[in-house]
Amino acid sequence: MGVLNRPVRVGAIAVSALAITAFTGALASAGAATAAPAAGQGFVALAGSVSPTTDTITGSYTNSKMQVEVAIAPRDEAGLNAEISALYDKNSSQYHKWLTTGQFDARYAPTPATQQAVAKFLGGRGLKVVPSGSPFLIRATGSSATVSNTFHTSLNMFKDPHGTKYFANSTPVYLPASIAGSAIGVVGLTNTVRDSQSARPRVRNTIRADAKPSAASNCETGYPTTQQLFQIYVQNANIPFGYGGGPGCSGLTPSQDNSIYGAPHRGASAKGKGVNLAVFELSAYQHSDIATWAHQFYGAGYTPPLVDVTVDGGPLAPQCPTGDQCPPQFNGYSGDIEVDADIETQLAIAPDVKSLIVYNAPNDYTGQTELDEYSAIAKANKADAISSSWGLCENDVTATYVKAENTIFQQMATQGQSVFSSSGDTGAFDCIRSDGTTIPNVNDPASQPWVTSVGGTSFENFNPGTNPHPRYPFKGEAPWNVDNLCSNAGPSAANDNEGGFFWCAATGAGGGGSSQYWGQPSYQHGPGIINASTSTNCSLAKPGTPCREVPDISADADEFTPYSEYCTGNASTPGSVCATFSAGQPVPGWFGIGGTSLSSPLVSAIIADRDSFTHHRTGSASQLFYQLYRFAPSFYFHDVTAAGHIAKNNGLYPAVPGFDLATGVGTPKMSAIITGLF
């Protein structure tokens, strides 16, 4: 996702499930495989419990102790689906009568008998059952051999064509028929599930060397040319760029953000008053950074309403899943640039929130800490709107994992919590990374049906300078794809002979496309939404079903039309990204930042403002956005097209009038969304 210090996920599965490639790994090279249970033993193979791949098996996976979780489906799923439908049906007597804290578990948690049956089975096979904090996850630890024998599956080491090594189960998971009907699957059988951040800073190349804070028009520059981009990213040249009214032309200010997108002038009631915002994080941060940013724009008397909640020890004292890894290079302050960006962007749009809760867990490799963090957010039911800028391509998660996530997001939807996630920063190819993977893919959890996916746009040649109240640009916005260089094309003179995939990773583009797992949600319909580019190949839907499309909505995410961030780090914050460069900026600590890491918290804060204005939770914002799109799209959204712009697509999918797979329904008109009738 982000280029700067972008961690490479262990276990990149190189063949997309989109291609439905049959699993053909040669077990002969893997050592002894665990035998499937014989017929009549009462075991059932779980569908979708093996991820298709043709990667080479290099041997058996062995570990003296590892942690796994049996994910259990909600009881009365038909009732749950009916209740969610009623909660979002304006004609229903249950419309927006959200469940209160604890009601979801009371109605839909697996029965104690089901939980005990799963725990008894695991304990009887030699695993140690330990608390998970969620009735939907039965956690156990044991050796890899015991885990393999328990589920009659083979755990193997794999190596993809680029040499990346990972472990995963190579044969189906089996459970006794008596509990298989209640089980979603087993989490923890692969280490390909590690989230990465999607913030994209413009640091070394952001600002003129002679820039001065808040000086009028002396450090603003035009949008980069392809020649300049080649000099920056290929020749490592230092070409300065400045944008917006932040200190040293470091990016857009809160006043500019609100003015461009048309915030209403209704005082604190339309700025988040009384609402609890939240961010999902996997890195520590400094409160002093947030205070400095806030004092710059809101004065010394403003105190950011930060509340820290750590899960599994957080990134500074990780309580890592047994046998998993939470390495220092991916914990500590390694993502402080991401955390600061998320918080500062939310406060730019909703400065008067009651609290901004920073949930934080360690960053692991099996994804279990992330499930714990989302579970904690749902269980607490404090946050009205939540944004996550952390994620991974769908191809790196299993069907079991995304279904386990979905249970949590269903709970949030029934409670009226609005969840947002970044659509990704490498265009239609969210799996792009340094191991050479380039398949079309979208981002999880942004592709989840009960999460609102937020994509990216660009203002291109529109630069508001230091004008504190700029109008929305006459030419509108373009899909984010810097100079239209991101593509699946090979090297040519048009892309400076680097190839389109190089530019997707280097300069970025907004994520978008079709899910390889989820079918089209009931709310996702309207003019142009299902088109020739929409996939019908999603494994968790009936064959032929149109797949879930992302993004749902978009906002500025171009690092060359950036937001102004303040982030410093220091010698006492191990692994801090900001500490590596921010002190050397023309205005120390200030720099421009882009990526869908910014558009997601921006849109989440707009919904916080709406909740404040209406004195009522919005719930799933996707439901709202598609209602508004069908009712009066031009009143609520700026349509994003390629007309008059450099960028034409997100690397694969074109921007067209109306809905598209590059920008969704468009970008927000804040006043209409916050104060509208829906």
Side-chain angles (χ1 to χ4, degrees):
M1 305 183 89
V3 174
L4 182 73
N5 195 36
R6 186 187 187 286
V8 177
R9 255 178 244 108
V10 170
I13 300 177
V15 178
S16 173
L18 283 169
I20 312 298
T21 305
F23 175 71
T24 57
L27 290 177
S29 63
T34 301
Q41 289 187 346
F43 280 76
V44 175
L46 299 186
S49 57
V50 180
S51 296
T53 182
T54 55
D55 289 350
T56 303
I57 295 177
T58 60
S60 298
Y61 171 72
T62 58
N63 195 329
S64 61
K65 205 168 187 181
M66 62 186 294
Q67 177 176 294
V68 294
E69 296 171 322
V70 176
I72 308 177
R75 76 170 185 268
D76 188 16
E77 288 191 89
L80 171 57
N81 292 332
E83 176 148 31
I84 293 179
S85 295
L87 287 168
Y88 289 94
D89 180 357
K90 290 192 299 177
N91 298 315
S92 169
S93 60
Q94 289 180 263
Y95 181 63
H96 281 195
K97 293 182 179 179
W98 310 122
L99 299 189
T100 60
T101 304
Q103 280 189 320
F104 185 86
D105 283 359
R107 296 183 186 184
Y108 302 113
T111 65
T114 297
Q115 297 176 57
Q116 291 165 9
V118 174
K120 182 178 180 180
F121 163 70
L122 296 175
R125 303 289 292 190
L127 295 174
K128 180 181 179 181
V129 178
V130 295
S132 72
S134 169
F136 298 93
L137 297 170
I138 308 300
R139 179 174 295 170
T141 62
S143 68
S144 57
T146 304
V147 169
S148 293
N149 290 332
T150 297
F151 302 113
H152 293 276
T153 188
S154 297
L155 292 171
N156 294 112
M157 291 299 301
F158 290 80
K159 183 170 68 174
D160 74 11
H162 303 281
T164 303
K165 298 178 181 179
Y166 62 97
F167 75 81
N169 61 301
S170 57
T171 57
V173 168
Y174 287 82
L175 285 175
S178 58
I179 61 175
S182 302
I184 290 173
V186 181
V187 175
L189 299 180
T190 178
N191 65 341
T192 63
V193 188
R194 195 188 64 73
D195 286 34
S196 63
Q197 63 207 42
S198 60
R200 304 178 69 88
R202 288 274 64 79
V203 287
R204 177 191 58 189
N205 303 307
T206 303
I207 310 166
R208 291 185 187 276
D210 61 353
K212 294 180 174 60
S214 303
S217 302
N218 75 335
C219 59
E220 297 150 18
T221 59
Y223 198 66
T225 65
T226 55
Q227 181 181 4
Q228 288 173 320
L229 294 175
F230 181 82
Q231 291 171 328
I232 294 168
Y233 291 99
V234 179
Q235 297 178 345
N236 203 34
N238 186 0
I239 298 178
F241 289 92
Y243 189 85
C249 296
S250 55
L252 297 173
T253 67
S255 174
Q256 291 177 319
D257 299 338
N258 284 274
S259 183
I260 288 173
Y261 284 122
H265 301 289
R266 298 295 187 96
S269 66
K271 294 182 179 179
K273 182 179 179 181
V275 171
N276 296 309
L277 261 175
V279 288
F280 171 101
E281 302 296 348
L282 298 169
S283 170
Y285 73 105
Q286 295 188 129
H287 280 230
S288 58
D289 282 343
I290 309 304
T292 299
W293 179 92
H295 294 162
Q296 170 70 30
F297 298 119
Y298 297 135
Y302 178 85
T303 301
L306 301 175
V307 176
D308 293 318
V309 176
T310 58
V311 178
D312 295 341
L316 294 180
Q319 297 168 11
C320 202
T322 303
D324 197 354
Q325 298 179 62
C326 297
Q329 65 268 33
F330 302 138
N331 280 281
Y333 289 81
S334 63
D336 56 357
I337 190 171
E338 177 68 72
V339 185
D340 283 18
D342 294 345
I343 295 171
E344 291 168 8
T345 305
Q346 284 193 336
L347 291 178
I349 303 300
D352 293 327
V353 291
K354 180 180 179 181
S355 65
L356 197 162
I357 309 169
V358 183
Y359 286 94
N360 235 323
N363 199 352
D364 70 344
Y365 279 88
T366 63
Q368 295 176 76
T369 59
E370 289 84 345
L371 287 179
D372 288 350
E373 183 170 343
Y374 282 122
S375 294
I377 297 171
K379 182 177 181 179
N381 194 24
K382 293 291 186 183
D384 301 297
I386 305 100
S387 176
S388 172
S389 296
W390 299 77
L392 63 167
C393 70
E394 277 192 326
N395 204 52
D396 279 351
V397 290
T398 64
T400 293
Y401 192 84
V402 300
K403 287 191 288 184
E405 285 182 313
N406 183 57
T407 299
I408 303 169
F409 296 131
Q410 283 179 309
Q411 177 175 352
M412 293 186 185
T414 64
Q415 295 171 169
Q417 295 177 284
S418 307
V419 187
F420 302 82
S421 184
S422 305
S423 71
D425 288 2
T426 52
F429 316 101
D430 199 58
C431 282
I432 284 180
R433 51 181 172 264
S434 60
D435 67 5
T437 304
T438 55
I439 59 173
N441 217 229
V442 298
N443 197 22
D444 175 83
S447 60
Q448 288 278 340
W450 296 104
V451 173
T452 298
S453 174
V454 186
T457 60
S458 172
F459 294 124
E460 288 192 344
N461 285 304
F462 169 74
N463 191 333
T466 57
N467 178 3
H469 303 295
R471 296 175 65 89
Y472 187 75
F474 175 75
K475 290 186 177 181
E477 294 164 84
W480 172 34
N481 181 353
V482 184
D483 285 350
N484 211 49
L485 292 175
C486 170
S487 74
N488 58 1
S492 69
N495 56 29
D496 287 310
N497 293 312
E498 285 298 332
F501 291 130
F502 170 86
W503 293 111
C504 296
T507 52
S514 301
S515 173
Q516 72 181 41
Y517 288 117
W518 300 107
Q520 177 189 11
S522 60
Y523 58 75
Q524 194 168 46
H525 63 92
I529 289 179
I530 300 300
N531 55 62
S533 297
T534 306
S535 172
T536 57
N537 194 3
C538 26
S539 62
L540 297 181
K542 294 180 180 179
T545 301
C547 300
R548 161 88 163 111
E549 296 175 310
V550 295
D552 298 304
I553 191 171
S554 295
D556 176 41
D558 190 339
E559 69 270 41
F560 288 99
T561 61
Y563 302 84
S564 181
E565 177 172 349
Y566 184 82
C567 182
T568 60
N570 57 52
S572 64
T573 55
S576 165
V577 173
C578 294
T580 65
F581 67 84
S582 64
Q585 295 303 293
V587 181
W590 292 93
F591 51 89
I593 189 90
T596 53
S597 279
L598 285 298
S599 57
S600 179
L602 185 147
V603 177
S604 73
I606 292 174
I607 293 301
D609 292 348
R610 177 186 169 86
D611 288 355
S612 174
F613 189 82
T614 62
H615 305 289
H616 188 73
R617 281 183 173 180
T618 297
S620 170
S622 298
Q623 297 267 351
L624 170 70
F625 292 150
Y626 288 100
Q627 285 179 19
L628 301 180
Y629 174 72
R630 292 189 297 272
F631 177 67
S634 63
F635 185 73
Y636 294 101
F637 307 105
H638 300 286
D639 193 9
V640 180
T641 72
H645 295 292
I646 302 168
K648 305 299 181 184
N649 53 50
N650 74 336
L652 185 62
Y653 303 111
V656 299
F659 180 91
D660 54 61
L661 294 178
T663 61
V665 298
T667 61
K669 293 184 177 181
M670 287 177 59
S671 184
I673 291 175
I674 293 169
T675 66
L677 300 177
F678 279 76

